[in-house]
Amino acid sequence: MDTLISIGELSSSTGISIRAIRYYEEIGLLIPYKTSQNNYRYYSDMEKGKLGVILILKKMGFSLREIKTRRSVGSLAGGFDEKDE
DNA sequence: CTTCTAACA
DNA sequence: TGTTAGTA
């Protein structure tokens, strides 16, 4: 099922501020599905899983910049950016 | 009511 | 990170 949720749903579901979610996208550690309408961001349950890992890493004391390169924990999110640097 | 961009504090 | 302005 491609359950796409809006940023508001994701924020209320994860407890993160919309501002933070947009910021994660800005730094490239969370990539939503841009849909046609106006540039609305829609996320799937996979993004929510990635965001969950990000929260854990942050809570552990990782900087957003470190998390961005934490593709080594791909097994956790099952879909991190296998991009280099 | 909800979302988006951009810039400022 | 919060928030404000105007908009669809």
Side-chain angles (χ1 to χ4, degrees):
Chain A
M1 302 64 140
D2 311 27
T3 308
L4 298 179
I5 60 180
S6 56
I7 189 167
E9 292 291 298
L10 188 63
S11 62
S12 60
S13 195
T14 58
I16 307 178
S17 313
I18 296 176
R19 233 316 194 132
I21 298 173
R22 288 211 196 103
Y23 185 59
Y24 298 155
E25 188 214 349
E26 188 185 315
I27 63 182
L29 71 82
L30 187 66
I31 308 301
Y33 293 97
K34 298 280 230 38
T35 60
S36 47
Q37 272 176 100
N38 226 354
N39 277 8
Y40 276 34
R41 294 165 173 74
Y42 279 96
Y43 304 79
S44 61
D45 39 320
M46 191 174 76
E47 265 65 290
K48 187 174 176 193
K50 294 174 29 170
L51 192 42
V53 178
I54 294 165
L55 290 176
I56 307 301
L57 267 40
K58 279 164 51 71
K59 192 173 184 175
M60 288 205 281
F62 287 91
S63 305
L64 295 180
R65 194 222 136 177
E66 304 334 297
I67 300 173
K68 184 180 177 174
T69 54
R70 284 290 144 172
R71 54 174 172 329
S72 33
V73 295
S75 44
L76 289 172
F80 251 92
D81 292 65
E82 49 275 76
K83 191 186 289 184
D84 227 84
E85 190 204 14

